Amino acid sequence: MINPASRTKSIELSLIRKMFEVTNPDAINLGIGEPDFDVPENIKNAMKKSIDENDTHYTSNKGKIELREEIVKKFKNENGINTNPENIIVTAGASEGLFMCAQAFIEKGDEVLLPDPSFLSYEACVKIADGTIVPVDCTMENEFKLKADDVQEKITGKTKAIILNSPSNPTGAVMEKEDIKAIADLSMDNNFLIISDEIYEKIIYDKKHYSPAKYSDNVITLNGFSKTYAMTGLRIGYLTANEDYTEQLLKIHQYNIACANNTAQRGAYEALTGPQDEVEKMVNEFQRRRDLIVRRLNEMGYETVNAEGAFYVFPKIEDEDFVMKAAKAGVITVPGIAFGSNGANHVRMSYANSYENIEKAMDILEERVANG
């Protein structure tokens, strides 16, 4: 056997995916972070038209100009970010954008501040780039929200970047405006990069989303269409940064995938320019499910923060065997420790499943796990 590169030995396969491989395929899945809705019809039709018109060839490395122009409008009108089409790169999902950021800017000896808990891909991408993770505590007492004072305490001369994710996977936490702005100020004062993953920005309840790029030039803003428009498998995302950053990011993107999927780009253009009523319906339904799962978990004695965004809850569950017990009973969940040390004694549950299935799952947990 040929030995793998040492950098691959520093990471493990996703614990989320491992859970699906060892459980009953008929189990109720509260594990995966994927909307259970279908792509809206207008977006499907736009992609069908792309194929019918044989518009399936390479695009510009940065993406179709008409799509990038709409992304510019979106950033300006919704996020207060002033950019231009040349500083937009259309990516193969926000995941590629994250990998590009790590490869373009992180190297051995660099410290990257990471909320703890946070999405497991962040740590893996930093490790592949030989960076060093510096966790910043996001505690249940603060509703898992990243606080600027805690970030400031972790900054050193080696701090190269911080990764922000609001609303958050795995906790559903939404950062406060004052913390976003304060961290943006810190990035300028201490000359470090903010990688802001805003993929869940539209899935938010009774709160407002704020982008750090409105307050700092040292920001790469990542976003995409997977969560808002249920376009997960189409792998289409985008990012913006200043001209100097974008030039470096394009090098990674160009030699990695050349360009994002052309047909998916047509769908993305329609997503931005077409009606948004399906998005509103989806978010309203997610909120209804959030209310259900938080109430039921709290009634079972599993303390659960009333998540303000995304489609996850992160209840406190001290039973170390809970995840396996739940899986055997027919409910897939993910151990919180997969998302960082502060995830210990917590479990991530996704409510990207039908209201009826969530009711059934809660009944199973109450009858066969909580009281078992």
Side-chain angles (χ1 to χ4, degrees):
M1 175 181 171
I2 305 299
N3 289 328
S6 59
R7 61 182 172 273
T8 63
K9 293 180 180 179
S10 69
I11 59 173
E12 299 289 338
L13 290 173
S14 167
L15 191 55
I16 299 173
R17 298 289 172 176
K18 284 183 178 179
M19 284 302 303
F20 305 148
E21 295 172 4
V22 299
T23 51
N24 185 338
D26 295 325
I28 298 173
N29 191 343
L30 302 184
I32 197 164
E34 178 177 30
D36 58 311
F37 300 92
D38 293 326
V39 175
E41 287 299 319
N42 62 308
I43 298 174
K44 289 182 187 176
N45 290 334
M47 291 189 290
K48 291 174 185 175
K49 189 175 181 182
S50 166
I51 294 170
D52 290 340
E53 293 176 352
N54 295 312
D55 184 16
T56 54
H57 301 279
Y58 290 133
T59 71
S60 160
N61 289 137
K62 291 182 178 178
K64 286 178 172 290
I65 183 61
E66 59 268 30
L67 174 56
R68 287 185 281 135
E69 288 172 345
E70 289 301 322
I71 292 170
V72 167
K73 294 177 187 175
K74 185 266 177 206
F75 273 131
K76 180 179 180 180
N77 296 334
E78 297 183 10
N79 303 100
I81 300 172
N82 291 316
T83 185
N84 63 68
E86 290 307 305
N87 287 342
I88 302 290
I89 302 176
V90 182
T91 62
S95 295
E96 192 220 348
L98 173 67
F99 186 81
M100 289 161 57
C101 291
Q103 291 299 307
F105 291 99
I106 308 303
E107 56 191 342
K108 194 173 184 64
D110 288 339
E111 293 181 350
V112 180
L113 307 186
L114 201 60
D116 182 0
S118 62
F119 184 44
L120 44 83
S121 286
Y122 302 151
E123 180 176 355
C125 284
V126 172
K127 284 184 173 180
I128 291 171
D130 276 339
T132 300
I133 298 293
V134 177
V136 184
D137 290 339
C138 298
T139 63
M140 195 171 193
E141 289 71 26
N142 286 330
E143 298 180 321
F144 301 112
K145 297 180 182 184
L146 185 66
K147 310 303 289 184
D149 288 345
D150 295 329
V151 171
Q152 188 169 15
E153 290 180 4
K154 299 286 187 172
I155 296 171
T156 72
K158 295 181 179 180
T159 302
K160 187 67 169 287
I162 185 172
I163 301 177
L164 303 184
N165 178 217
S166 178
S168 162
N169 175 6
T171 66
V174 176
M175 289 181 65
E176 302 296 339
K177 179 182 179 180
E178 55 264 32
D179 290 306
I180 292 280
K181 189 175 186 305
I183 293 170
D185 291 341
L186 288 170
S187 76
M188 298 292 283
D189 294 341
N190 296 276
N191 195 34
F192 63 82
L193 184 66
I194 296 176
I195 301 168
S196 182
D197 180 355
E198 304 182 14
I199 193 71
Y200 294 100
E201 67 162 343
K202 294 290 184 70
I203 305 174
I204 195 167
Y205 324 110
D206 304 320
K207 295 284 286 186
K208 186 175 179 182
H209 171 77
Y210 295 94
S211 296
K214 184 177 180 179
Y215 311 108
S216 170
D217 293 331
N218 286 350
V219 182
I220 303 171
T221 305
L222 309 179
N223 211 320
F225 299 85
S226 292
K227 313 301 183 181
T228 301
Y229 300 96
M231 295 171 67
T232 50
L234 293 162
R235 308 314 302 133
I236 191 78
Y238 56 92
L239 61 79
T240 193
N242 68 41
E243 183 177 351
D244 293 334
Y245 294 165
T246 305
E247 182 179 357
Q248 305 310 314
L249 291 163
L250 184 61
K251 294 175 186 177
I252 307 300
H253 175 73
Q254 186 179 72
Y255 293 115
N256 183 20
I257 67 163
C259 68
N261 181 302
N262 188 339
T263 297
Q265 289 190 56
R266 285 281 290 266
Y269 177 85
E270 175 61 26
L272 289 179
T273 59
Q276 303 296 306
D277 52 318
E278 290 299 316
V279 176
E280 184 177 352
K281 289 178 186 176
M282 181 175 70
V283 173
N284 288 339
E285 176 59 17
F286 276 140
Q287 184 168 5
R288 190 169 80 101
R289 297 173 187 178
R290 187 277 311 264
D291 294 344
L292 168 67
I293 196 169
V294 168
R295 175 177 59 81
R296 290 294 303 274
L297 287 168
N298 280 322
E299 287 173 353
M300 280 183 251
Y302 299 134
E303 184 182 356
T304 306
V305 171
N306 193 36
E308 295 173 329
F311 38 71
Y312 309 101
V313 289
F314 208 59
K316 185 174 184 179
I317 300 177
E318 297 182 348
D319 180 355
E320 293 181 359
D321 297 322
F322 176 90
V323 170
M324 291 310 299
K325 289 177 182 176
K328 290 178 181 178
V331 179
I332 300 174
T333 60
V334 180
I337 195 65
F339 304 96
S341 60
N342 282 333
N345 298 322
H346 290 272
V347 173
R348 191 191 79 168
M349 299 185 191
S350 166
Y351 46 92
N353 207 319
S354 70
Y355 192 93
E356 293 72 24
N357 277 346
I358 294 170
E359 281 188 311
K360 291 177 185 175
M362 293 301 104
D363 288 344
I364 291 170
L365 293 181
E366 184 171 19
E367 294 168 7
R368 299 176 58 186
V369 182
N371 299 321

